[in-house]
Every structure is written in C-alpha cells, then in structure tokens.
Amino acid sequence: MLQKTSHYMRQANLIGGEWVQADSGATIDVTNPATTLKIGTVPKSGRAETRRAIEAAQTAFQSFRKTSALERSKLLRKLHDAIMDNQEALAELLTMEQGKSLTEAKGEIGSSAAYVLWFAEEARRAYGDIVPSPWADRRILVTREPVGVIAAITPWNFPSSMLSRKIGPAIAAGCTAVVKPASQTPYSGLAWGALCEEVGIPKGVVNIVTGSAGEIGDELCSNPLVKKITFTGSTEVGKMLIEKSASTVKKVSMELGGNAPFLVFDDADLDRAVEGAITAKYRNSGQTCVCTNRFFVQAGIYDSFVKKLSEASAKLKVGPGLDAGVQQGPLIDEKAVEKVEEFIADASAKGGKVLTGGKRHALGGSFFEPTVIAGATTDMKFMKDEIFGPVAPVFKFETEEEGVALANDTEFGLASYFYTGDLGRAFRVMEGLKYGMVGVNEGLITTPEAPFGGVKESGLGREGGHQGIDDYLDTKYVCIGGLGL
C-alpha cells in the first residue's frame, strides 16, 4: 500500500456527511488486477443504506439549491485545485485498483479536474430568457432551476473522470447527488467524498454508496425523491435503468456501449493514422467505450497500414501500471481475458490472421498481448460486439461509400474516427457517419469543452460542453400579468 494514497483510500460509505459501514457489516474485497492481491474492502450496502443516502441528499438540497451560482462556482474551483494538488496520490490509487499505467491515471485525474473547472464556469452561465410578450400588460420569464437529487452510476474503466462529468454539473446546477461507483474500482469514487469534505462542500450534497448493483440501482430508480439518473456503462444495463426509471418518470442521461469504427482512406497520412490508431485502440488496454473496435482500411494502403500497425503494437510495453515506462496494464479481470480470447478464436476460425499478439502475456494474470488481426470479415463477432480489450481487427474496403456503410452497420453510435487528406471527403464522411462524435485525422478527441455522448443505442444526453449541464436543470416558464402597462 502506497503511503500517499492512504488519506484518500476510504473503506466506508459517505452518507449525510458521515463515513459509515453497511448495516449488515458485509464487505466487498477490492483487488489489484496487476497482482490479484487484495487492496482492501468496501461496504456491501443495499436498499436501506441507499434510501438513507437519498434522504440525506434531499435534506441537503433544500438549502444547497438556494446557494448562488458564484458560491457554487467557487466550491468547484476549490475542488479542482484539491484534485490537482493531489494528482499523484489519486493517480496511484486509481492505478492500484484499475490497472492502467500511472501515466494514463495521471491523465485521467487531470481530466477529472478539467471537467470540474469547466462546470465551475458553466455554473455562472445557466442562463434563462426574457421572451418578448404578445400581451402588453404581461411579461414572460424563462428560468432554469436544479432538478433536485440526482443519482450517478459509474463504471470501472474510468472511475474518476466518469464521476467528474456527473458531480461537476450536479454541483454547478445546485443539485445534490447519490453516487454508486463500480465495485471493482470503488476507491477512486470514494476519494471524491474525501475531496468534497476537504473543500467545504456541505454535508449531504455528495453521498457515495458501494455494494450490490441490483439493490442500489433498484432503489435509485424507484425512489421518487431521485429526479434524474445518469449512468455510464453497458447498453444492456442502461436499458434496464431506463425501464425501471419510467415508473417515476425521471430524467435519464445514458452514456452506453460503443463500437467505434476507424476508417483509413488511400489518401491518408499513413504514419499519422497509425499513431492515432495506437492511441484510439490501446488506451486503457482497449477498455474504453470510445476506443476503436473495428479498423476499416482502403485497399490501396491496406497492406502498408497493417504492417505498420502490427509493428507499433508489438513495441508497446506491457506491465503493472506502477512500473516505469509501462504503456499497457492488465485487463480488469479473468473474465475480460476470456472474452478477448473468444473474439480471437472466432476470428481465427473464420479466416482471420493474427499478425502480432493473440495470446495471454508472459507476465500471466490478466495481462494480454496487444493483438492485430488481418483479414477481418463482417461475419466475425467483433463486427457487432464490443471487444473491450487490446485486439485490433482490420477490415479491407474498396470505395468511400462502402467504408461509410460498414462503419454505420451497428446499432451503436458513440465515437468514430477517420483519416483522409481530401477536404471534400472529410466533409462527406463526417456528415455520413451516424455517430455522436467524430475524430477527423485525430484518435483522441475527448475534452471538457465539447459535448461527449452518442446516438442510437449508445445513449441519451451529453456530458461536457455547454450542453453538459442541461439535464441537471428544469426549465420553468413564468408569466407575470396584471402589470397595468
């Protein structure tokens, strides 16, 4: 256990400003995926604890909603500074529980802080309107008010930054929150509770509950005090949450699964495309919702691209995230490794050729070799299913129309990428791709200033950008009459 992290590694839930254990005393073990050793435990809470957290958030909301936008902005600025002052400790904690390299973890903590700072600014720009009235003696005002208690459910792959995109706008809008972090990576979520305490965010504004996903989720969905659910995770779970939230007609924001295409046209800068491909595929060992799932390369440069991608993939340094120079850590668990092996076996059986990698890494555990598969075809599993691992299948296409059609052939629509040197093609393809986000000649496009989110079965709503606060606000129309004008 690293000394620096100890202050932020909380092994208790935060409810109404108090650090508490589960009513039953039951706990969940948390392990380091690089070593498989137990790091510690967190409470295995259920419906009763979640209900108390919701009630604490509702109580806090009565006063927090009345704070000024400037006051909330200042709190968020303090939170940003606290995150950056402790970036190293928070990154080490993140790497220990999640496995990603320390470099990537520091980047994620920096991104978390950047989202908080962005929403500190947006807090003061949640404008309403004064609408020209059709009546001489009336005035029309449109105001925006906090929705109330929000529930945030976050995944294990980006346990800090996924939370920043939810806590940031919630506080900015004047909402209070109940947070359920993933059981595999709960400490980065609980650390937000310690940070919020440190900077003086009032008790009950942010509550964090760990434990049974089913029990906690059911209470969050059915409790009428919760006015909005924001979830990042699989489409399958997202659909369940939408369905369960319908009984109380909650607002929902869903950032769900992806199946990102990465198109490389004959006129692309090949070296730039390979560099972007490495970033878009292997970040967090391929365990991101926006990472490339399918590479589509035009026939004219297919062989060159595959060769360069294989060479670059083979050079990636695999190892425990805390080791110097490591570029790819372990997969989250054994189940993730088995899923990756299934994809590779399926592709190999259908004529795919493994050019590099293809098997578990010599380090053992859940480490896996960066893998490139040539000759990918549309009947292979990864055409439709999300890999969530370091496997790069490369398909060949002939025409621009064919490439765009292949890229769109999925029920998902989160992120997409393409490389071209032709300006006209850039606009045609950008407009033809049915995705919420498009990277043109870039493989890493996420930033707080831009709206993050998908279309089709990849979700509802946006995180980041000026749009990121919208779902935390209700619009109210006020007609003022009898003015005697």
Side-chain angles (χ1 to χ4, degrees):
M1 178 67 215
L2 300 174
Q3 194 58 42
K4 278 184 218 178
T5 66
S6 56
H7 173 65
Y8 290 108
M9 186 178 152
R10 300 300 174 97
Q11 301 191 69
N13 286 175
L14 182 62
I15 299 177
E18 304 297 325
W19 292 97
V20 295
Q21 295 301 316
D23 293 354
S24 65
T27 58
I28 298 169
D29 289 348
V30 183
T31 58
N32 181 334
T35 63
T36 68
L37 297 175
K38 179 175 161 182
I39 307 168
T41 64
V42 291
K44 188 176 182 179
S45 301
R47 290 196 85 133
E49 297 90 339
T50 308
R51 194 173 301 122
R52 283 202 297 279
I54 293 167
E55 287 161 1
Q58 176 67 13
T59 300
F61 178 64
Q62 303 313 313
S63 53
F64 192 64
R65 66 181 301 184
K66 295 172 186 170
T67 56
S68 71
L70 179 59
E71 198 176 331
R72 297 194 300 274
S73 177
K74 285 178 177 175
L75 282 172
L76 286 169
R77 284 179 180 277
K78 283 184 184 175
L79 183 57
H80 162 270
D81 293 347
I83 294 167
M84 290 309 295
D85 288 347
N86 297 282
Q87 186 177 17
E88 189 84 28
L90 294 166
E92 283 181 352
L93 183 60
L94 203 168
T95 293
M96 276 171 45
E97 65 175 348
Q98 201 279 331
K100 66 182 63 177
S101 73
L102 191 57
T103 302
E104 282 197 39
K106 282 182 191 169
E108 180 176 341
I109 299 303
S111 170
S112 300
Y115 273 94
V116 168
L117 185 60
W118 173 259
F119 286 111
E121 295 159 350
E122 287 300 291
R124 302 179 69 192
R125 295 180 178 85
Y127 301 134
D129 293 294
I130 295 178
V131 181
S133 173
W135 306 289
D137 64 343
R138 303 186 205 175
R139 294 295 177 264
I140 295 173
L141 276 65
V142 178
T143 62
R144 301 216 287 167
E145 300 177 349
V147 298
V149 177
I150 70 105
I153 303 172
T154 53
W156 54 261
N157 58 341
F158 287 88
S160 181
S161 63
M162 295 296 113
L163 201 44
S164 68
R165 300 177 191 181
K166 303 176 191 307
I167 286 179
I171 291 173
C175 298
T176 56
V178 178
V179 173
K180 195 279 179 195
S183 293
Q184 286 159 305
T185 55
Y187 294 128
S188 292
L190 290 164
W192 280 83
L195 288 159
C196 288
E197 274 189 329
E198 203 172 289
V199 301
I201 289 169
K203 290 181 177 186
V205 170
V206 175
N207 305 273
I208 306 169
V209 185
T210 58
S212 164
E215 282 196 43
I216 294 170
D218 284 351
E219 183 61 33
L220 293 174
C221 290
S222 62
N223 194 308
L225 294 177
V226 175
K227 302 303 179 189
K228 170 188 165 60
I229 300 257
T230 170
F231 169 72
T232 300
S234 72
T235 296
E236 181 187 14
V237 174
K239 287 177 178 179
M240 285 167 52
L241 292 170
I242 293 169
E243 194 175 337
K244 288 178 177 181
S245 297
S247 63
T248 48
V249 195
K250 300 186 195 308
K251 282 194 173 199
V252 290
S253 299
M254 297 281 149
E255 197 267 277
L256 308 176
N259 188 359
F262 189 110
L263 296 118
V264 186
F265 292 96
D266 285 343
D267 52 25
D269 178 331
L270 193 54
D271 290 334
R272 186 180 178 88
V274 170
E275 187 184 336
I278 292 291
T279 302
K281 175 67 248 185
Y282 296 115
R283 191 162 62 102
N284 198 25
S285 304
Q287 301 172 117
T288 89
C289 51
V290 294
C291 77
T292 302
N293 207 61
R294 302 164 296 150
F295 286 93
F296 298 106
V297 182
Q298 203 161 11
I301 58 164
Y302 183 87
D303 292 341
S304 305
F305 178 84
V306 164
K307 182 172 181 288
K308 283 178 178 274
L309 180 64
S310 298
E311 289 167 355
S313 300
K315 285 178 188 166
L316 290 170
K317 184 177 178 182
V318 179
L322 293 174
D323 288 4
V326 163
Q327 293 164 288
Q328 184 179 288
L331 296 185
I332 189 67
D333 56 23
E334 176 66 20
K335 202 165 118 189
V337 176
E338 289 169 2
K339 186 181 174 192
V340 165
E341 287 178 326
E342 272 179 44
F343 279 111
I344 295 170
D346 171 73
S348 298
K350 292 170 181 169
K353 187 181 177 190
V354 176
L355 298 183
T356 189
K359 59 187 187 297
R360 294 176 187 236
H361 198 275
L363 287 166
S366 61
F367 290 97
F368 205 89
E369 294 177 345
T371 301
V372 176
I373 299 176
T377 54
T378 55
D379 61 340
M380 293 176 184
K381 277 186 176 180
F382 36 55
M383 182 65 189
K384 297 290 185 185
D385 298 338
E386 201 169 10
I387 300 167
F388 242 64
V391 179
V394 192
F395 300 73
K396 186 187 289 185
F397 71 90
E398 298 290 339
T399 66
E400 180 184 309
E401 294 75 19
E402 182 194 359
V404 172
L406 283 165
N408 286 333
D409 186 16
T410 171
E411 67 266 30
F412 298 107
L414 190 56
S416 57
Y417 312 90
F418 71 91
Y419 280 69
T420 180
D422 182 306
L423 186 60
R425 171 173 277 162
F427 275 88
R428 287 193 304 273
V429 175
M430 172 187 75
E431 291 168 5
L433 288 168
K434 302 298 181 193
Y435 288 82
M437 298 177 284
V438 183
V440 186
N441 296 330
E442 289 294 342
L444 181 60
I445 59 175
T446 307
T447 181
E449 293 83 356
F452 185 104
V455 295
K456 300 194 283 187
E457 292 194 17
S458 284
L460 303 162
R462 292 295 181 269
E463 297 186 319
H466 69 81
Q467 298 89 343
I469 198 170
D470 289 348
D471 282 338
Y472 296 80
L473 295 163
D474 285 330
T475 298
K476 179 181 280 184
Y477 154 49
V478 181
C479 178
I480 305 171
L483 299 177
L485 298 171

